[in-house]
Amino acid sequence: LSSSSTYTVPPSVLLLGPDNAGKTALLTLFERGAKPSATHTSQVSHSIELNASTDSVTKASFRNHDDATGTHTKFFLVDTPGHGKLRNVAMGKLARTEKTKAVVFLVDAAALGEQETLAPTAAYLYDVLLFLQKKATSKGKDKASIPVLIAANKMDLFTALPATMVKTHLETELTRIRASRSKGLLDSGVGIDDVGSEEQDGWLGEYGSEKFTFQQMGEFDIDVEVLAGSVLTEEPGADKWWWWIAQRI
Ligand code: GTP
Ligand code: MG
């Protein structure tokens, strides 16, 4: 009975990540196609409609969203508040948004060398990845494997860690979080082979592995990639992130 007149909801891409990472600045950059506007702490989610082309001459640039020569895919880019007290707002978006095709998890690479930024950033990322892992292994109609881009922002600042170090810092911290959250399980003396599937469901990545790596999310068909960029400067800019998004919507 469905026909071409059926209203189709465009896919969504969610911008997640801790406060001050640059999510709203990135949204305004993509929206304007030029300089991002000044931002202040977000308290609500905000979504805009964009078009991405994978076949125009400017396909790899976010400035292609008003290029009329290619075939475009319409999508919603959804900004969320990063503040820890508003985590329910962001996680609610993740849980409820229909047709989420990708998650862009923005981090402040210039502050990630500090434990006080690394710890809450990784804790948030852990919750997001575990949510996505559960979604990928669920049996319901919501089952889906949603890819994650870890966008290492603020590369223009001299304290910024390169993408490879952003990756290893996060993996190390996620390993620690996983160990502490599953401590009860491991200390209970139950062998890994004896635990039920319920316990395994609460374990991020490869069950029983000593060290967490993003690659382990591949077991659930969840692709996790780390790419460096900057919202405020042209170099390295935000084109790589745009291209990553354009290929997944
Ligand atoms: P919440 O709304 O609190 O979750 O934060 P947010 O992730 O939306 O951060 P926002 O976009 O408001 O940016 C925070 C600050 O970082 C702003 O002062 C931005 O101008 C700045 N910022 C964003 N991107 C960059 C960047 O690439 N380089 C530098 N140096 N600063 C940036
Ligand atoms: Mg914001």
Side-chain angles (χ1 to χ4, degrees):
L1 281 174
S2 68
S3 70
S4 56
S5 65
T6 308
Y7 176 71
T8 50
V9 183
S12 290
V13 175
L14 289 191
L15 280 177
L16 301 176
D19 60 303
N20 203 44
K23 298 178 295 299
T24 307
L26 178 63
L27 178 114
T28 67
L29 177 67
F30 282 166
E31 186 174 34
R32 297 166 158 215
K35 287 239 169 292
S37 55
T39 58
H40 48 260
T41 306
S42 304
Q43 295 188 37
V44 293
S45 297
H46 173 64
S47 87
I48 58 166
E49 201 179 286
L50 290 170
N51 290 293
S53 172
T54 50
D55 68 6
S56 74
V57 271
T58 55
K59 64 184 178 187
S61 166
F62 64 83
R63 291 180 180 85
N64 85 4
H65 73 75
D66 25 73
D67 171 297
T69 59
T71 306
H72 287 77
T73 305
K74 190 189 282 189
F75 71 101
F76 287 120
L77 185 66
V78 186
D79 182 25
T80 59
H83 196 284
K85 290 201 168 139
L86 300 168
R87 196 53 43 82
N88 58 324
V89 176
M91 292 303 283
K93 273 284 163 200
L94 184 59
R96 285 192 302 273
T97 304
E98 257 184 274
K99 292 185 73 173
T100 300
K101 281 293 181 71
V103 166
V104 175
F105 191 92
L106 216 64
V107 303
D108 178 348
L112 219 54
E114 309 286 339
Q115 189 62 24
E116 64 181 39
T117 301
L118 178 62
T121 300
Y124 185 7
L125 182 57
Y126 186 95
D127 291 340
V128 170
L129 292 178
L130 192 58
F131 176 90
L132 294 178
Q133 178 180 315
K134 285 180 175 167
K135 191 175 173 66
T137 54
S138 78
K139 302 226 161 54
K141 65 170 172 55
D142 295 339
K143 180 185 168 86
S145 291
I146 297 171
V148 180
L149 169 64
I150 296 172
N153 189 26
K154 308 199 186 182
M155 284 295 155
D156 54 297
L157 300 177
F158 80 96
T159 50
L161 301 177
T164 47
M165 279 178 73
V166 165
K167 184 169 182 236
T168 52
H169 274 58
L170 286 171
E171 284 178 340
T172 302
E173 189 63 22
L174 287 163
T175 301
R176 279 175 20 134
I177 295 168
R178 186 174 72 174
S180 73
R181 295 210 190 168
S182 52
K183 203 166 185 338
L185 173 65
L186 292 183
D187 286 354
S188 66
V190 184
I192 275 165
D193 297 334
D194 305 327
V195 294
S197 61
E198 214 168 285
E199 281 92 343
Q200 291 202 19
D201 289 348
W203 177 280
L204 185 69
E206 184 194 334
Y207 191 70
S209 60
E210 200 170 313
K211 192 173 168 3
F212 173 80
T213 63
F214 289 123
Q215 211 191 340
Q216 292 173 9
M217 299 306 291
E219 271 194 43
F220 312 99
D221 281 330
I222 297 171
D223 175 43
V224 183
E225 206 170 325
V226 183
L227 292 174
S230 59
V231 174
L232 289 199
T233 55
E234 299 232 342
E235 286 298 322
D239 281 337
K240 272 194 204 161
W241 301 336
W242 177 264
W243 181 230
W244 184 93
I245 291 169
Q247 289 174 297
R248 281 160 185 85
I249 50 174

